Amino acid sequence: MKQLTKEDKQAVLDVLNSFEVYEECMIDGYILVENNEENRKLLNDVGVTDKEIDNVADEEYFCTIALAFNGGYADNYEQGKFVLWGPIDDELKERVREFKGTETDAFRLLEALEGVKEVG
């Protein structure tokens, strides 16, 4: 399997974030978009295989959350968009130290320091 660069992952996220959402439920953890030729081609053009799409799809829809996270493309879903985090830098550490960071900032820092994974 090809190692993806940050740019490769961001290209996939840009496509996923551009889709018109058919239905979403954050409680159950799904965002559905139409499983059509146009959407599949957009994903294929940025390196997502039909097999990856098929793994998270039925005949009508596919789940962008499952695709983004199962494929290792996204680090989180924030404010209605899939995101890829930047490096743990001094700015992030300072936000957490000064209690100005978000809960996600704190989890990222813990993950980097202790290998703790955010759940849910």
Side-chain angles (χ1 to χ4, degrees):
M1 186 169 150
K2 176 186 163 196
Q3 184 68 24
L4 297 172
T5 67
K6 182 174 180 159
E7 292 78 17
D8 295 334
K9 291 178 182 182
Q10 188 60 56
V12 172
L13 297 185
D14 290 344
V15 171
L16 291 175
N17 287 330
S18 75
F19 287 145
E20 182 178 334
V21 173
Y22 168 75
E23 179 178 301
E24 74 178 85
C25 178
M26 298 317 289
I27 293 171
D28 291 332
Y30 66 84
I31 300 173
L32 302 179
V33 299
E34 285 190 55
N35 184 8
N36 60 35
E37 192 174 310
E38 180 182 344
N39 288 347
R40 292 176 80 91
K41 181 175 179 350
L42 289 169
L43 287 168
N44 293 155
D45 288 348
V46 293
V48 178
T49 66
D50 283 325
K51 182 177 180 180
E52 286 178 279
I53 299 167
D54 291 342
N55 285 338
V56 298
D58 62 20
E59 289 181 15
E60 295 182 78
Y61 305 102
F62 63 86
C63 178
T64 58
I65 287 180
L67 183 61
F69 291 110
N70 292 351
Y73 300 111
D75 288 319
N76 206 3
Y77 186 76
E78 300 171 1
Q79 300 175 351
K81 298 286 181 192
F82 293 104
V83 294
L84 191 59
W85 290 329
I88 302 293
D89 57 13
D90 289 339
E91 182 183 327
L92 172 72
K93 292 180 215 173
E94 190 63 26
R95 279 198 314 266
V96 172
R97 262 191 229 107
E98 298 295 322
F99 301 103
K100 295 177 183 172
T102 65
E103 182 179 334
T104 300
D105 290 338
F107 276 115
R108 286 182 62 203
L109 194 54
L110 280 173
E111 182 181 52
L113 294 173
E114 301 175 2
V116 175
K117 285 283 189 184
E118 181 176 358
V119 178

